[in-house]
């Protein structure tokens, strides 16, 4: 009888322990689900806010420059928030990184107004980078092969992007300097993003300069993930 009672107490102890473990696992599962749910809510909020900021930036830029794009040979891409200058003969001479006078006149008009839009209080903390991008076609002056043409065009596109950055940086105000140092970059991409139409490269359209805006949505996502780890 005593032995049977001892066995019953032993099984009751195991049963209590299993119940306690199940409760612990249940709390862990609930906590994990809450964490995932909060993370998803946070990411959804960031995505919504990022989309709204991009829409507003596009609308403000389009409102500011819609009357100028045609005469400048430029366009505004809503998806990438890129102001694309696409008339190569206006930008640079072939194989040169010296800005043509026509382009400096355009930049004198464009860049101060561009900064005025982006320096609005509602955008200043939302912008991660203003990328000045130099793009070339896949052509080169000699038949030197694809590898050599890519490298030569990379050098040329980087030189051109830096030339544009140097010029527009001189147009800044004293109040804009620190913000520009943090956000303005020059990027040469050779012909890695050449423009193709009907399966063939459009050489003229491939040669271009773009001012492209990157928002800080990705950075906010990373910060949220770190907080919820």
């Amino acid at each position: 009888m005593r032995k049977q009672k001892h066995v019953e107490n032993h099984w009751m102890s195991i049963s209590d322990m299993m119940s306690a473990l199940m409760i612990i696992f249940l709390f862990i599962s609930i906590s994990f689900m809450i964490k995932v749910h909060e993370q998803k809510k946070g990411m959804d909020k960031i995505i919504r806010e990022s989309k709204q900021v991009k829409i507003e930036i596009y609308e403000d830029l389009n409102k500011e420059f819609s009357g100028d794009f045609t005469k400048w040979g430029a366009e505004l891409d809503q998806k990438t928030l890129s102001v694309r200058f696409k008339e190569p003969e206006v930008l640079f001479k072939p194989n040169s990184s010296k800005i043509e006078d026509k382009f400096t006149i355009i930049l004198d008009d464009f860049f101060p107004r561009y900064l005025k839009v982006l320096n609005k209080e509602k955008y200043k903390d939302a912008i991660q980078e203003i990328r000045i991008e130099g793009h070339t076609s896949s052509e080169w002056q000699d038949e030197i092969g694809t590898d050599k043409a890519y490298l030569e065009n990379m050098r040329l596109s980087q030189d051109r992007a830096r030339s544009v950055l140097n010029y527009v940086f001189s147009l800044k105000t004293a109040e804009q300097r620190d913000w520009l140092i943090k956000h303005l970059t020059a990027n040469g991409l050779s012909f890695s993003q050449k423009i193709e139409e009907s399966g063939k490269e459009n050489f003229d359209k491939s040669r271009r300069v773009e001012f492209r805006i990157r928002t800080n949505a990705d950075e906010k996502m990373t910060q949220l993930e770190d907080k919820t780890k």
Side-chain angles (χ1 to χ4, degrees):
M1 186 69 139
R2 185 178 298 172
K3 184 176 180 181
Q4 183 179 357
K5 187 174 182 181
H6 174 73
V7 171
E8 288 176 356
N9 289 337
H10 173 73
W11 283 109
M12 285 176 65
S13 297
I14 294 176
S15 176
D16 290 343
M17 182 177 68
M18 293 298 294
S19 297
L21 286 174
M22 287 180 66
I23 292 172
I24 292 171
F25 284 131
L26 180 61
F27 277 122
I28 292 173
S29 298
I30 292 172
S31 298
F32 178 74
M33 290 172 66
I34 292 172
K35 183 177 177 180
V36 170
H37 179 67
E38 290 299 318
Q39 186 178 30
K40 186 177 185 303
K41 280 176 60 179
M43 288 185 173
D44 288 344
K45 183 174 182 288
I46 291 171
I47 290 171
R48 286 195 307 272
E49 290 176 349
S50 175
K51 286 181 178 179
Q52 185 59 35
V53 166
K54 286 183 175 181
I55 289 170
E56 291 179 11
I57 291 175
Y58 171 79
E59 289 176 347
D60 280 354
L61 288 175
N62 195 52
K63 181 180 179 181
E64 178 68 31
F65 296 116
S66 59
D68 299 301
F69 288 136
T70 300
K71 67 181 181 181
W72 288 346
E75 63 185 4
L76 175 60
D77 188 309
Q78 184 172 6
K79 183 178 180 181
T80 62
L81 295 180
S82 292
V83 176
R84 182 176 299 120
F85 294 95
K86 55 181 184 174
E87 297 293 339
E89 68 278 4
V90 173
L91 309 177
F92 306 93
K93 284 186 168 61
N95 304 320
S96 171
S97 60
K98 183 179 181 298
I99 301 173
E100 288 287 271
D101 290 342
K102 290 180 180 179
F103 194 30
T104 62
I105 293 171
I106 291 171
L107 292 173
D108 287 342
D109 187 12
F110 162 73
F111 195 68
R113 293 161 60 194
Y114 183 68
L115 283 187
K116 184 178 178 181
V117 172
L118 300 186
N119 278 172
K120 289 182 178 181
E121 199 59 39
K122 62 179 179 178
Y123 298 145
K124 288 183 73 172
D125 293 333
I127 294 173
Q128 183 173 2
E129 183 183 12
I130 301 173
R131 294 170 54 90
I132 299 174
E133 296 183 347
H135 298 264
T136 68
S137 70
S138 60
E139 293 179 307
W140 192 250
Q141 55 189 350
D142 302 313
E143 293 295 330
I144 57 176
T146 302
D147 290 0
K148 186 69 172 175
Y150 171 76
L151 294 174
E152 290 294 337
N153 277 303
M154 181 62 74
R155 174 189 57 77
L156 179 62
S157 64
Q158 290 174 344
D159 289 345
R160 287 176 169 177
R162 282 195 296 269
S163 291
V164 175
L165 185 146
N166 288 339
Y167 187 79
V168 299
F169 194 71
S170 71
L171 302 176
K172 70 186 181 306
T173 65
E175 293 78 15
Q176 295 166 339
R177 184 191 62 184
D178 290 344
W179 189 83
L180 279 177
I181 288 172
K182 290 180 180 179
H183 296 88
L184 187 65
T185 65
N187 306 267
L189 289 93
S190 188
F191 53 84
S192 62
Q193 296 181 21
K194 60 189 177 183
I195 304 297
E196 294 188 349
E197 296 176 344
S198 302
K200 293 184 179 181
E201 181 181 359
N202 185 315
F203 296 115
D204 283 340
K205 287 186 178 181
S206 291
R207 304 184 193 104
R208 64 198 190 275
V209 170
E210 299 189 15
F211 286 74
R212 181 173 181 175
I213 298 166
R214 291 182 61 223
T215 64
N216 59 9
D218 291 340
E219 183 181 355
K220 286 184 177 180
M221 289 281 199
T222 300
Q223 291 174 353
L224 179 63
E225 289 171 355
D226 291 341
K227 287 181 181 178
T228 54
K229 282 180 180 178

